Amino acid sequence: MDRSRYDNRSEQWRKRTGAKRSRTLRWASVPRRLIFVTVAAAGALAVLTAMRHSDSLQEVNLQNLVGAKPASITGVASLIDGDTIEVHGQRIRFNGIDAPESRQYCDDANGFEYPCGRRSAEALDAFLAASRPVQCTFVNWDRYHRFVGDCRRADGASVAAWMVEHGQALDWPRYSHGVYAQQQAKAETAKVGLWGGKFKAPWNWRASHADGAAPASQPLGIISRKLVAQSGYSCEPRRTCKQIGSCEEAQWYLQNCSWGGKLDRDGDGVACETLC
């Protein structure tokens, strides 16, 4: 082997060996306590970063699982009662109002009892049918796991506001914080709907009828199952005074059917006066 090449390789080996020894000596000169503190600090920083990252992931996951709001629901409604509908299989309770229960009766201006709960539902049915579909924006879940929402017809009219303004439901301050107080004042002044006679607030009625506190398990089905009296009277088909055989029958239609008011043209509370 060429002597000069051998000398060069030996020189390179000595330089590399010397560099390694120099680095080893420098590390050896560093106090062990300083090395320990540095390593410990780096480990703590890594653990803290991991914990923060884990917390943020957990927060995001909880928000996704618990805090996410359902999307708005749009569709043709099936009636449950005057403040609850069903759309695409989801029960929806109108936010901030309370309507008479399906089994609730009230007194009209003449002191006669009438099924105000069913009258309220019929009014809602007619209102929604005038501009379909209905769209409901989520507000909260109630204790019966119903979707509580603000609902509007296709033309933008607020369902809750209309029901209160026409005396078919009450502003429920416990949940509305008085949002519909103005509409209720108008209804009371005009003596329309419930305000035309005497009634018990639905929340008070439920309190005195413990078995009526829970929501109905089946839709009222006004469209497919019209109100039928024990005597055989039915709200469908519509009738005129010429098709009615007695004063009693005429009064029943007036008190129980959404179209019954047409039988009392002068508004004195007596239907088909020629029969009475």
Side-chain angles (χ1 to χ4, degrees):
M1 179 180 293
D2 187 0
R3 181 72 180 179
S4 60
R5 181 179 302 177
Y6 175 80
D7 291 341
N8 288 337
R9 288 183 178 179
S10 297
E11 183 66 21
Q12 291 175 0
W13 180 83
R14 283 194 296 271
K15 287 182 180 180
R16 286 198 297 271
T17 303
K20 289 181 180 179
R21 287 178 179 176
S22 177
R23 285 196 296 270
T24 302
L25 290 174
R26 284 199 300 270
W27 276 107
S29 65
V30 177
R32 293 183 178 181
R33 182 176 298 178
L34 179 60
I35 295 174
F36 175 78
V37 171
T38 303
V39 172
L45 180 61
V47 170
L48 180 61
T49 302
M51 290 177 64
R52 288 180 177 175
H53 183 64
S54 175
D55 289 343
S56 63
L57 286 178
Q58 183 179 12
E59 182 179 355
V60 170
N61 289 337
L62 287 175
Q63 288 178 350
N64 290 339
L65 294 175
V66 178
K69 291 185 177 180
S72 297
I73 298 177
T74 303
V76 177
S78 297
L79 266 67
I80 306 301
D81 56 27
D83 54 35
T84 307
I85 58 176
E86 186 171 298
V87 179
H88 302 316
Q90 175 63 60
R91 291 289 175 91
I92 301 173
R93 178 71 156 79
F94 300 144
N95 182 51
I97 70 170
D98 201 6
E101 295 295 322
S102 299
R103 297 188 296 108
Q104 186 173 347
Y105 277 73
C106 304
D107 292 340
D108 65 14
N110 297 316
F112 292 104
E113 281 192 345
Y114 73 98
C116 51
R118 289 184 178 273
R119 183 72 62 82
S120 171
E122 286 189 335
L124 174 62
D125 179 42
F127 176 71
L128 293 177
S131 181
R132 291 172 173 159
V134 65
Q135 182 178 47
C136 298
T137 303
F138 177 81
V139 174
N140 205 346
W141 296 107
D142 72 0
R143 58 176 175 162
Y144 302 115
H145 199 65
R146 288 176 300 186
F147 178 114
V148 178
D150 289 321
C151 300
R152 294 182 177 275
R153 293 193 315 189
D155 61 4
S158 168
V159 178
W162 187 91
M163 290 292 287
V164 174
E165 188 170 351
H166 288 77
Q168 300 299 336
L170 301 182
D171 174 60
W172 200 353
R174 178 179 177 183
Y175 299 103
S176 72
H177 305 292
V179 169
Y180 304 109
Q182 185 176 358
Q183 287 87 345
Q184 182 159 298
K186 289 181 179 179
E188 186 174 4
T189 300
K191 297 187 182 301
V192 296
L194 296 170
W195 301 102
K198 296 181 180 181
F199 63 92
K200 183 178 287 188
W203 52 86
N204 290 330
W205 188 91
R206 286 193 298 272
S208 60
H209 297 75
D211 59 340
S217 59
Q218 296 294 333
L220 186 61
I222 291 177
I223 297 175
S224 61
R225 188 174 67 254
K226 293 292 183 179
L227 180 62
V228 178
Q230 292 180 354
S231 59
Y233 302 145
S234 171
C235 286
E236 189 175 343
R238 294 171 181 256
R239 298 175 184 272
T240 64
C241 288
K242 292 181 180 180
Q243 299 171 314
I244 298 173
S246 69
C247 178
E248 178 186 1
E249 183 182 359
Q251 287 301 111
W252 190 92
Y253 294 135
L254 175 63
Q255 298 296 332
N256 294 281
C257 303
S258 59
W259 48 265
K262 294 184 178 181
L263 303 178
D264 180 18
R265 296 187 179 278
D266 57 6
D268 64 353
V270 179
C272 301
E273 294 182 355
T274 55
L275 298 174
C276 295

